[in-house]
Amino acid sequence: MRTGKEKVSRIPLAPVLLAFSLAAGNVFLAPAAYALSELHKIPGQANDAPAAPGSAQGQSQPQGGATPNVPMADPLVKSQNNQSVDKTPGAEENNFKPVEVIYDISKAPEPVRKMREQIVEAAASGDLERLRPLMGTGTDQTQVTVGEPTDDPIGTLKDLSGDPDGDEILAIMLDIVSTGFVHVGQGTADDMYVWPYFAEKDLKSLTPPERVELLRIVTAGDLSDMQEFGGYNFYRLGITPDGKWKFFTAGD
């Protein structure tokens, strides 16, 4: 009868040592695997142990508290660019400068407001002749054609109208001064309040509401032609800060 001691002595030594070493290895490897996946749950290690450069832990904590995998931007550069460059597409290449569109007529000087009101009243009357006293004479006469001045601005406007009485041109004039306007040439000889604001804006950058507003004045075909041309070329009206009606012309 063999004893237990004799049974043990007959077990080959090499396999025993190999099994022991594998078991010992599992004991020492287990904590390492646990540390990679559950490190944040082990007190004293998640915050105290420094992360190795390029490790998964180091990558999950970007500088500045930014969202992982999102590149950091330079807000100072972007802010400066936004202030110095017109955001509208194509504005720089077409030489359009940023403009402030004004809808509140009270922001214009009193002489400008008064002249606009007189133009509106005259145009709404349906009598083209009521515009004549507002147009001045000589060098101060309102310009109604591009190029050489005309001796009879009222007669010229009647000829430009699609009807014999000039009603169409009066309707266009009312539509023009009913839009927003811009103040251009401040501090220069060309200081002017101009209607509509489209005359100073890149038409390719118009918002949907602005396109609708422009289409109250021109047709969709006209708008397409203007965009291809590179700017607004329908009627525009200008009043100087001291209340002189400077022009009502069509063209660039």
Side-chain angles (χ1 to χ4, degrees), residues 133-183:
L134 307 178
M135 291 187 159
T137 58
T139 57
D140 291 334
Q141 180 178 285
T142 302
Q143 180 183 1
V144 294
T145 57
V146 176
E148 294 295 324
T150 177
D151 294 333
D152 182 11
I154 296 299
T156 300
L157 289 179
K158 184 177 290 188
D159 292 339
L160 291 172
S161 185
D163 67 292
D165 297 322
D167 292 341
E168 182 188 54
I169 206 74
L170 292 175
I172 292 173
M173 193 174 295
L174 281 175
D175 286 340
I176 294 299
V177 296
S178 297
T179 67
F181 60 98
V182 293
H183 185 194

mmCIF file of all heavy atoms in Angstrom, residues 133-183:
data_model
loop_
_atom_site.group_PDB
_atom_site.id
_atom_site.type_symbol
_atom_site.label_atom_id
_atom_site.label_comp_id
_atom_site.label_asym_id
_atom_site.label_seq_id
_atom_site.Cartn_x
_atom_site.Cartn_y
_atom_site.Cartn_z
ATOM 1 N N PRO A 133 -40.568 120.313 -58.149
ATOM 2 C CA PRO A 133 -40.023 121.256 -57.156
ATOM 3 C C PRO A 133 -38.955 120.634 -56.247
ATOM 4 O O PRO A 133 -38.160 121.372 -55.633
ATOM 5 C CB PRO A 133 -41.251 121.666 -56.335
ATOM 6 C CG PRO A 133 -42.417 121.364 -57.206
ATOM 7 C CD PRO A 133 -42.017 120.160 -57.989
ATOM 8 N N LEU A 134 -38.937 119.319 -56.148
ATOM 9 C CA LEU A 134 -37.990 118.638 -55.262
ATOM 10 C C LEU A 134 -36.633 118.403 -55.931
ATOM 11 O O LEU A 134 -35.670 118.039 -55.245
ATOM 12 C CB LEU A 134 -38.561 117.278 -54.824
ATOM 13 C CG LEU A 134 -39.972 117.305 -54.216
ATOM 14 C CD1 LEU A 134 -40.416 115.876 -53.876
ATOM 15 C CD2 LEU A 134 -40.019 118.195 -52.987
ATOM 16 N N MET A 135 -36.563 118.616 -57.237
ATOM 17 C CA MET A 135 -35.385 118.226 -58.000
ATOM 18 C C MET A 135 -34.339 119.323 -58.159
ATOM 19 O O MET A 135 -33.231 119.054 -58.633
ATOM 20 C CB MET A 135 -35.808 117.714 -59.384
ATOM 21 C CG MET A 135 -36.539 116.385 -59.313
ATOM 22 S SD MET A 135 -36.851 115.715 -60.962
ATOM 23 C CE MET A 135 -37.083 113.987 -60.569
ATOM 24 N N GLY A 136 -34.660 120.543 -57.761
ATOM 25 C CA GLY A 136 -33.681 121.608 -57.869
ATOM 26 C C GLY A 136 -33.421 122.004 -59.319
ATOM 27 O O GLY A 136 -34.060 121.509 -60.254
ATOM 28 N N THR A 137 -32.446 122.891 -59.478
ATOM 29 C CA THR A 137 -32.103 123.378 -60.818
ATOM 30 C C THR A 137 -30.592 123.521 -60.942
ATOM 31 O O THR A 137 -29.867 123.509 -59.939
ATOM 32 C CB THR A 137 -32.753 124.750 -61.082
ATOM 33 O OG1 THR A 137 -32.324 125.679 -60.072
ATOM 34 C CG2 THR A 137 -34.274 124.652 -61.088
ATOM 35 N N GLY A 138 -30.138 123.684 -62.173
ATOM 36 C CA GLY A 138 -28.716 123.919 -62.412
ATOM 37 C C GLY A 138 -27.853 122.762 -61.942
ATOM 38 O O GLY A 138 -28.171 121.586 -62.138
ATOM 39 N N THR A 139 -26.761 123.127 -61.270
ATOM 40 C CA THR A 139 -25.824 122.108 -60.791
ATOM 41 C C THR A 139 -26.403 121.280 -59.649
ATOM 42 O O THR A 139 -25.900 120.187 -59.349
ATOM 43 C CB THR A 139 -24.523 122.771 -60.320
ATOM 44 O OG1 THR A 139 -24.819 123.742 -59.301
ATOM 45 C CG2 THR A 139 -23.818 123.473 -61.488
ATOM 46 N N ASP A 140 -27.451 121.794 -59.007
ATOM 47 C CA ASP A 140 -28.086 121.066 -57.907
ATOM 48 C C ASP A 140 -29.253 120.205 -58.373
ATOM 49 O O ASP A 140 -29.943 119.593 -57.560
ATOM 50 C CB ASP A 140 -28.587 122.053 -56.849
ATOM 51 C CG ASP A 140 -27.443 122.735 -56.112
ATOM 52 O OD1 ASP A 140 -26.353 122.138 -56.037
ATOM 53 O OD2 ASP A 140 -27.635 123.869 -55.638
ATOM 54 N N GLN A 141 -29.491 120.148 -59.674
ATOM 55 C CA GLN A 141 -30.623 119.380 -60.188
ATOM 56 C C GLN A 141 -30.412 117.884 -59.987
ATOM 57 O O GLN A 141 -29.311 117.370 -60.144
ATOM 58 C CB GLN A 141 -30.805 119.670 -61.683
ATOM 59 C CG GLN A 141 -31.973 118.921 -62.312
ATOM 60 C CD GLN A 141 -32.146 119.285 -63.776
ATOM 61 O OE1 GLN A 141 -32.633 120.371 -64.095
ATOM 62 N NE2 GLN A 141 -31.739 118.387 -64.661
ATOM 63 N N THR A 142 -31.484 117.220 -59.623
ATOM 64 C CA THR A 142 -31.424 115.772 -59.405
ATOM 65 C C THR A 142 -31.032 115.056 -60.693
ATOM 66 O O THR A 142 -31.610 115.317 -61.763
ATOM 67 C CB THR A 142 -32.791 115.261 -58.935
ATOM 68 O OG1 THR A 142 -33.171 115.949 -57.735
ATOM 69 C CG2 THR A 142 -32.747 113.771 -58.665
ATOM 70 N N GLN A 143 -30.064 114.150 -60.595
ATOM 71 C CA GLN A 143 -29.610 113.381 -61.743
ATOM 72 C C GLN A 143 -30.546 112.209 -61.975
ATOM 73 O O GLN A 143 -30.790 111.410 -61.080
ATOM 74 C CB GLN A 143 -28.184 112.877 -61.506
ATOM 75 C CG GLN A 143 -27.617 112.057 -62.644
ATOM 76 C CD GLN A 143 -26.232 111.514 -62.322
ATOM 77 O OE1 GLN A 143 -25.705 111.751 -61.226
ATOM 78 N NE2 GLN A 143 -25.655 110.780 -63.256
ATOM 79 N N VAL A 144 -31.078 112.098 -63.205
ATOM 80 C CA VAL A 144 -31.996 111.010 -63.525
ATOM 81 C C VAL A 144 -31.455 110.119 -64.645
ATOM 82 O O VAL A 144 -32.099 109.120 -65.000
ATOM 83 C CB VAL A 144 -33.391 111.549 -63.922
ATOM 84 C CG1 VAL A 144 -34.048 112.228 -62.734
ATOM 85 C CG2 VAL A 144 -33.287 112.488 -65.123
ATOM 86 N N THR A 145 -30.326 110.468 -65.207
ATOM 87 C CA THR A 145 -29.673 109.633 -66.210
ATOM 88 C C THR A 145 -28.200 109.509 -65.856
ATOM 89 O O THR A 145 -27.616 110.400 -65.228
ATOM 90 C CB THR A 145 -29.799 110.230 -67.624
ATOM 91 O OG1 THR A 145 -29.251 111.556 -67.635
ATOM 92 C CG2 THR A 145 -31.245 110.261 -68.076
ATOM 93 N N VAL A 146 -27.601 108.405 -66.274
ATOM 94 C CA VAL A 146 -26.177 108.198 -66.056
ATOM 95 C C VAL A 146 -25.426 108.888 -67.203
ATOM 96 O O VAL A 146 -25.699 108.638 -68.370
ATOM 97 C CB VAL A 146 -25.831 106.696 -66.019
ATOM 98 C CG1 VAL A 146 -24.321 106.495 -65.880
ATOM 99 C CG2 VAL A 146 -26.560 106.011 -64.877
ATOM 100 N N GLY A 147 -24.507 109.750 -66.832
ATOM 101 C CA GLY A 147 -23.758 110.470 -67.861
ATOM 102 C C GLY A 147 -24.170 111.933 -67.904
ATOM 103 O O GLY A 147 -24.227 112.616 -66.872
ATOM 104 N N GLU A 148 -24.499 112.411 -69.091
ATOM 105 C CA GLU A 148 -24.839 113.823 -69.275
ATOM 106 C C GLU A 148 -26.170 114.168 -68.598
ATOM 107 O O GLU A 148 -27.126 113.383 -68.666
ATOM 108 C CB GLU A 148 -24.930 114.155 -70.772
ATOM 109 C CG GLU A 148 -23.608 114.050 -71.515
ATOM 110 C CD GLU A 148 -22.607 115.076 -71.027
ATOM 111 O OE1 GLU A 148 -23.025 116.201 -70.692
ATOM 112 O OE2 GLU A 148 -21.409 114.735 -70.958
ATOM 113 N N PRO A 149 -26.238 115.316 -67.921
ATOM 114 C CA PRO A 149 -27.498 115.734 -67.287
ATOM 115 C C PRO A 149 -28.541 116.082 -68.342
ATOM 116 O O PRO A 149 -28.217 116.406 -69.484
ATOM 117 C CB PRO A 149 -27.087 116.958 -66.471
ATOM 118 C CG PRO A 149 -25.871 117.491 -67.171
ATOM 119 C CD PRO A 149 -25.160 116.298 -67.710
ATOM 120 N N THR A 150 -29.785 116.003 -67.956
ATOM 121 C CA THR A 150 -30.879 116.316 -68.873
ATOM 122 C C THR A 150 -31.496 117.657 -68.513
ATOM 123 O O THR A 150 -31.490 118.076 -67.344
ATOM 124 C CB THR A 150 -31.955 115.223 -68.807
ATOM 125 O OG1 THR A 150 -33.046 115.577 -69.643
ATOM 126 C CG2 THR A 150 -32.460 115.032 -67.385
ATOM 127 N N ASP A 151 -31.987 118.340 -69.522
ATOM 128 C CA ASP A 151 -32.612 119.647 -69.278
ATOM 129 C C ASP A 151 -33.976 119.506 -68.616
ATOM 130 O O ASP A 151 -34.423 120.413 -67.898
ATOM 131 C CB ASP A 151 -32.765 120.408 -70.610
ATOM 132 C CG ASP A 151 -31.425 120.792 -71.218
ATOM 133 O OD1 ASP A 151 -30.449 120.942 -70.446
ATOM 134 O OD2 ASP A 151 -31.352 120.932 -72.461
ATOM 135 N N ASP A 152 -34.638 118.384 -68.853
ATOM 136 C CA ASP A 152 -35.983 118.185 -68.313
ATOM 137 C C ASP A 152 -36.059 116.842 -67.598
ATOM 138 O O ASP A 152 -36.389 115.818 -68.222
ATOM 139 C CB ASP A 152 -37.015 118.262 -69.445
ATOM 140 C CG ASP A 152 -38.447 118.109 -68.938
ATOM 141 O OD1 ASP A 152 -38.649 118.156 -67.695
ATOM 142 O OD2 ASP A 152 -39.350 117.915 -69.777
ATOM 143 N N PRO A 153 -35.732 116.783 -66.311
ATOM 144 C CA PRO A 153 -35.736 115.500 -65.595
ATOM 145 C C PRO A 153 -37.106 114.836 -65.557
ATOM 146 O O PRO A 153 -37.199 113.601 -65.614
ATOM 147 C CB PRO A 153 -35.263 115.872 -64.197
ATOM 148 C CG PRO A 153 -35.540 117.317 -64.053
ATOM 149 C CD PRO A 153 -35.376 117.898 -65.415
ATOM 150 N N ILE A 154 -38.153 115.620 -65.472
ATOM 151 C CA ILE A 154 -39.490 115.044 -65.429
ATOM 152 C C ILE A 154 -39.837 114.398 -66.761
ATOM 153 O O ILE A 154 -40.379 113.286 -66.814
ATOM 154 C CB ILE A 154 -40.540 116.111 -65.068
ATOM 155 C CG1 ILE A 154 -40.289 116.658 -63.655
ATOM 156 C CG2 ILE A 154 -41.960 115.534 -65.167
ATOM 157 C CD1 ILE A 154 -40.377 115.610 -62.563
ATOM 158 N N GLY A 155 -39.505 115.064 -67.855
ATOM 159 C CA GLY A 155 -39.755 114.494 -69.173
ATOM 160 C C GLY A 155 -38.947 113.212 -69.381
ATOM 161 O O GLY A 155 -39.437 112.245 -69.983
ATOM 162 N N THR A 156 -37.716 113.209 -68.866
ATOM 163 C CA THR A 156 -36.881 112.012 -68.989
ATOM 164 C C THR A 156 -37.473 110.847 -68.221
ATOM 165 O O THR A 156 -37.511 109.705 -68.714
ATOM 166 C CB THR A 156 -35.460 112.295 -68.486
ATOM 167 O OG1 THR A 156 -34.882 113.346 -69.275
ATOM 168 C CG2 THR A 156 -34.591 111.055 -68.573
ATOM 169 N N LEU A 157 -37.957 111.100 -67.001
ATOM 170 C CA LEU A 157 -38.570 110.035 -66.203
ATOM 171 C C LEU A 157 -39.824 109.494 -66.887
ATOM 172 O O LEU A 157 -40.085 108.287 -66.868
ATOM 173 C CB LEU A 157 -38.926 110.561 -64.808
ATOM 174 C CG LEU A 157 -37.754 110.845 -63.864
ATOM 175 C CD1 LEU A 157 -38.259 111.392 -62.527
ATOM 176 C CD2 LEU A 157 -36.931 109.584 -63.641
ATOM 177 N N LYS A 158 -40.583 110.378 -67.526
ATOM 178 C CA LYS A 158 -41.790 109.925 -68.228
ATOM 179 C C LYS A 158 -41.413 109.026 -69.406
ATOM 180 O O LYS A 158 -42.091 108.028 -69.671
ATOM 181 C CB LYS A 158 -42.590 111.140 -68.708
ATOM 182 C CG LYS A 158 -43.904 110.767 -69.364
ATOM 183 C CD LYS A 158 -44.703 112.001 -69.749
ATOM 184 C CE LYS A 158 -45.229 112.727 -68.521
ATOM 185 N NZ LYS A 158 -46.183 113.822 -68.901
ATOM 186 N N ASP A 159 -40.335 109.400 -70.092
ATOM 187 C CA ASP A 159 -39.875 108.573 -71.211
ATOM 188 C C ASP A 159 -39.373 107.203 -70.729
ATOM 189 O O ASP A 159 -39.481 106.204 -71.451
ATOM 190 C CB ASP A 159 -38.752 109.282 -71.970
ATOM 191 C CG ASP A 159 -39.253 110.521 -72.703
ATOM 192 O OD1 ASP A 159 -40.479 110.616 -72.950
ATOM 193 O OD2 ASP A 159 -38.418 111.394 -73.025
ATOM 194 N N LEU A 160 -38.785 107.158 -69.534
ATOM 195 C CA LEU A 160 -38.264 105.901 -68.999
ATOM 196 C C LEU A 160 -39.372 104.980 -68.504
ATOM 197 O O LEU A 160 -39.184 103.765 -68.384
ATOM 198 C CB LEU A 160 -37.296 106.183 -67.846
ATOM 199 C CG LEU A 160 -35.965 106.846 -68.217
ATOM 200 C CD1 LEU A 160 -35.201 107.243 -66.953
ATOM 201 C CD2 LEU A 160 -35.123 105.904 -69.070
ATOM 202 N N SER A 161 -40.534 105.537 -68.226
ATOM 203 C CA SER A 161 -41.644 104.757 -67.690
ATOM 204 C C SER A 161 -42.262 103.896 -68.780
ATOM 205 O O SER A 161 -42.237 104.225 -69.970
ATOM 206 C CB SER A 161 -42.698 105.687 -67.093
ATOM 207 O OG SER A 161 -43.723 104.953 -66.464
ATOM 208 N N GLY A 162 -42.828 102.789 -68.395
ATOM 209 C CA GLY A 162 -43.459 101.887 -69.351
ATOM 210 C C GLY A 162 -44.843 102.316 -69.765
ATOM 211 O O GLY A 162 -45.468 101.640 -70.589
ATOM 212 N N ASP A 163 -45.345 103.401 -69.213
ATOM 213 C CA ASP A 163 -46.659 103.919 -69.568
ATOM 214 C C ASP A 163 -46.522 105.404 -69.920
ATOM 215 O O ASP A 163 -45.550 106.054 -69.526
ATOM 216 C CB ASP A 163 -47.643 103.739 -68.414
ATOM 217 C CG ASP A 163 -47.273 104.595 -67.219
ATOM 218 O OD1 ASP A 163 -46.212 104.289 -66.587
ATOM 219 O OD2 ASP A 163 -47.980 105.567 -66.933
ATOM 220 N N PRO A 164 -47.452 105.976 -70.631
ATOM 221 C CA PRO A 164 -47.316 107.369 -71.094
ATOM 222 C C PRO A 164 -47.402 108.421 -69.987
ATOM 223 O O PRO A 164 -46.923 109.553 -70.164
ATOM 224 C CB PRO A 164 -48.464 107.531 -72.095
ATOM 225 C CG PRO A 164 -49.470 106.493 -71.716
ATOM 226 C CD PRO A 164 -48.671 105.341 -71.179
ATOM 227 N N ASP A 165 -47.980 108.064 -68.841
ATOM 228 C CA ASP A 165 -48.157 109.054 -67.772
ATOM 229 C C ASP A 165 -47.054 109.030 -66.719
ATOM 230 O O ASP A 165 -47.015 109.890 -65.841
ATOM 231 C CB ASP A 165 -49.513 108.842 -67.094
ATOM 232 C CG ASP A 165 -50.681 109.052 -68.043
ATOM 233 O OD1 ASP A 165 -50.593 109.972 -68.891
ATOM 234 O OD2 ASP A 165 -51.657 108.279 -67.960
ATOM 235 N N GLY A 166 -46.198 108.016 -66.750
ATOM 236 C CA GLY A 166 -45.120 107.939 -65.768
ATOM 237 C C GLY A 166 -45.506 107.233 -64.480
ATOM 238 O O GLY A 166 -44.774 107.299 -63.485
ATOM 239 N N ASP A 167 -46.647 106.559 -64.496
ATOM 240 C CA ASP A 167 -47.099 105.886 -63.274
ATOM 241 C C ASP A 167 -46.128 104.771 -62.853
ATOM 242 O O ASP A 167 -45.894 104.560 -61.660
ATOM 243 C CB ASP A 167 -48.503 105.291 -63.479
ATOM 244 C CG ASP A 167 -49.571 106.372 -63.639
ATOM 245 O OD1 ASP A 167 -49.295 107.533 -63.243
ATOM 246 O OD2 ASP A 167 -50.662 106.067 -64.160
ATOM 247 N N GLU A 168 -45.604 104.051 -63.838
ATOM 248 C CA GLU A 168 -44.704 102.951 -63.503
ATOM 249 C C GLU A 168 -43.458 103.457 -62.783
ATOM 250 O O GLU A 168 -43.029 102.865 -61.791
ATOM 251 C CB GLU A 168 -44.291 102.189 -64.762
ATOM 252 C CG GLU A 168 -43.387 100.996 -64.465
ATOM 253 C CD GLU A 168 -42.829 100.364 -65.739
ATOM 254 O OE1 GLU A 168 -42.228 101.097 -66.548
ATOM 255 O OE2 GLU A 168 -43.009 99.137 -65.905
ATOM 256 N N ILE A 169 -42.900 104.539 -63.255
ATOM 257 C CA ILE A 169 -41.675 105.058 -62.636
ATOM 258 C C ILE A 169 -41.966 105.566 -61.231
ATOM 259 O O ILE A 169 -41.124 105.462 -60.321
ATOM 260 C CB ILE A 169 -41.043 106.165 -63.516
ATOM 261 C CG1 ILE A 169 -39.529 106.245 -63.251
ATOM 262 C CG2 ILE A 169 -41.689 107.517 -63.297
ATOM 263 C CD1 ILE A 169 -38.748 105.126 -63.847
ATOM 264 N N LEU A 170 -43.173 106.097 -61.009
ATOM 265 C CA LEU A 170 -43.561 106.527 -59.664
ATOM 266 C C LEU A 170 -43.698 105.319 -58.733
ATOM 267 O O LEU A 170 -43.304 105.387 -57.559
ATOM 268 C CB LEU A 170 -44.881 107.311 -59.716
ATOM 269 C CG LEU A 170 -44.831 108.676 -60.418
ATOM 270 C CD1 LEU A 170 -46.237 109.289 -60.508
ATOM 271 C CD2 LEU A 170 -43.894 109.627 -59.694
ATOM 272 N N ALA A 171 -44.264 104.241 -59.252
ATOM 273 C CA ALA A 171 -44.411 103.022 -58.444
ATOM 274 C C ALA A 171 -43.039 102.456 -58.080
ATOM 275 O O ALA A 171 -42.815 102.019 -56.943
ATOM 276 C CB ALA A 171 -45.230 101.990 -59.209
ATOM 277 N N ILE A 172 -42.121 102.471 -59.051
ATOM 278 C CA ILE A 172 -40.761 101.992 -58.778
ATOM 279 C C ILE A 172 -40.112 102.855 -57.707
ATOM 280 O O ILE A 172 -39.449 102.352 -56.787
ATOM 281 C CB ILE A 172 -39.923 102.003 -60.073
ATOM 282 C CG1 ILE A 172 -40.443 100.951 -61.051
ATOM 283 C CG2 ILE A 172 -38.452 101.778 -59.761
ATOM 284 C CD1 ILE A 172 -39.789 100.997 -62.424
ATOM 285 N N MET A 173 -40.303 104.145 -57.799
ATOM 286 C CA MET A 173 -39.718 105.062 -56.820
ATOM 287 C C MET A 173 -40.238 104.771 -55.414
ATOM 288 O O MET A 173 -39.470 104.764 -54.432
ATOM 289 C CB MET A 173 -40.043 106.503 -57.223
ATOM 290 C CG MET A 173 -39.255 107.565 -56.499
ATOM 291 S SD MET A 173 -39.599 109.225 -57.170
ATOM 292 C CE MET A 173 -38.953 109.081 -58.830
ATOM 293 N N LEU A 174 -41.521 104.497 -55.290
ATOM 294 C CA LEU A 174 -42.103 104.162 -53.984
ATOM 295 C C LEU A 174 -41.516 102.862 -53.451
ATOM 296 O O LEU A 174 -41.211 102.752 -52.257
ATOM 297 C CB LEU A 174 -43.623 104.047 -54.099
ATOM 298 C CG LEU A 174 -44.421 105.349 -54.122
ATOM 299 C CD1 LEU A 174 -45.892 105.060 -54.373
ATOM 300 C CD2 LEU A 174 -44.248 106.111 -52.817
ATOM 301 N N ASP A 175 -41.371 101.876 -54.337
ATOM 302 C CA ASP A 175 -40.785 100.603 -53.904
ATOM 303 C C ASP A 175 -39.348 100.801 -53.428
ATOM 304 O O ASP A 175 -38.924 100.193 -52.437
ATOM 305 C CB ASP A 175 -40.807 99.591 -55.055
ATOM 306 C CG ASP A 175 -42.199 99.035 -55.321
ATOM 307 O OD1 ASP A 175 -43.045 99.123 -54.411
ATOM 308 O OD2 ASP A 175 -42.423 98.516 -56.432
ATOM 309 N N ILE A 176 -38.599 101.631 -54.121
ATOM 310 C CA ILE A 176 -37.192 101.848 -53.787
ATOM 311 C C ILE A 176 -37.047 102.459 -52.391
ATOM 312 O O ILE A 176 -36.254 101.986 -51.570
ATOM 313 C CB ILE A 176 -36.513 102.762 -54.838
ATOM 314 C CG1 ILE A 176 -36.458 102.066 -56.201
ATOM 315 C CG2 ILE A 176 -35.116 103.168 -54.367
ATOM 316 C CD1 ILE A 176 -35.676 100.794 -56.227
ATOM 317 N N VAL A 177 -37.808 103.517 -52.108
ATOM 318 C CA VAL A 177 -37.653 104.204 -50.823
ATOM 319 C C VAL A 177 -38.367 103.478 -49.690
ATOM 320 O O VAL A 177 -38.330 103.942 -48.540
ATOM 321 C CB VAL A 177 -38.150 105.671 -50.905
ATOM 322 C CG1 VAL A 177 -37.297 106.465 -51.876
ATOM 323 C CG2 VAL A 177 -39.628 105.738 -51.285
ATOM 324 N N SER A 178 -39.016 102.360 -50.001
ATOM 325 C CA SER A 178 -39.670 101.561 -48.958
ATOM 326 C C SER A 178 -38.751 100.486 -48.401
ATOM 327 O O SER A 178 -39.110 99.796 -47.443
ATOM 328 C CB SER A 178 -40.944 100.906 -49.511
ATOM 329 O OG SER A 178 -41.890 101.882 -49.907
ATOM 330 N N THR A 179 -37.560 100.319 -48.984
ATOM 331 C CA THR A 179 -36.616 99.307 -48.513
ATOM 332 C C THR A 179 -35.696 99.902 -47.452
ATOM 333 O O THR A 179 -35.763 101.093 -47.128
ATOM 334 C CB THR A 179 -35.753 98.800 -49.679
ATOM 335 O OG1 THR A 179 -34.896 99.869 -50.133
ATOM 336 C CG2 THR A 179 -36.607 98.324 -50.834
ATOM 337 N N GLY A 180 -34.797 99.053 -46.933
ATOM 338 C CA GLY A 180 -33.747 99.559 -46.068
ATOM 339 C C GLY A 180 -32.784 100.422 -46.871
ATOM 340 O O GLY A 180 -32.761 100.361 -48.109
ATOM 341 N N PHE A 181 -31.974 101.195 -46.175
ATOM 342 C CA PHE A 181 -31.033 102.093 -46.843
ATOM 343 C C PHE A 181 -29.685 102.028 -46.150
ATOM 344 O O PHE A 181 -29.540 101.421 -45.087
ATOM 345 C CB PHE A 181 -31.566 103.529 -46.872
ATOM 346 C CG PHE A 181 -31.816 104.133 -45.506
ATOM 347 C CD1 PHE A 181 -30.888 104.973 -44.915
ATOM 348 C CD2 PHE A 181 -32.996 103.859 -44.812
ATOM 349 C CE1 PHE A 181 -31.117 105.541 -43.664
ATOM 350 C CE2 PHE A 181 -33.238 104.420 -43.561
ATOM 351 C CZ PHE A 181 -32.297 105.249 -42.985
ATOM 352 N N VAL A 182 -28.694 102.657 -46.776
ATOM 353 C CA VAL A 182 -27.345 102.675 -46.223
ATOM 354 C C VAL A 182 -26.805 104.089 -46.244
ATOM 355 O O VAL A 182 -27.216 104.925 -47.064
ATOM 356 C CB VAL A 182 -26.392 101.744 -47.006
ATOM 357 C CG1 VAL A 182 -26.790 100.293 -46.829
ATOM 358 C CG2 VAL A 182 -26.358 102.106 -48.489
ATOM 359 N N HIS A 183 -25.883 104.352 -45.334
ATOM 360 C CA HIS A 183 -25.180 105.631 -45.282
ATOM 361 C C HIS A 183 -23.766 105.396 -45.779
ATOM 362 O O HIS A 183 -23.009 104.643 -45.160
ATOM 363 C CB HIS A 183 -25.174 106.175 -43.848
ATOM 364 C CG HIS A 183 -24.572 107.538 -43.727
ATOM 365 N ND1 HIS A 183 -24.214 108.075 -42.502
ATOM 366 C CD2 HIS A 183 -24.256 108.481 -44.663
ATOM 367 C CE1 HIS A 183 -23.710 109.276 -42.687
ATOM 368 N NE2 HIS A 183 -23.725 109.556 -43.993
#
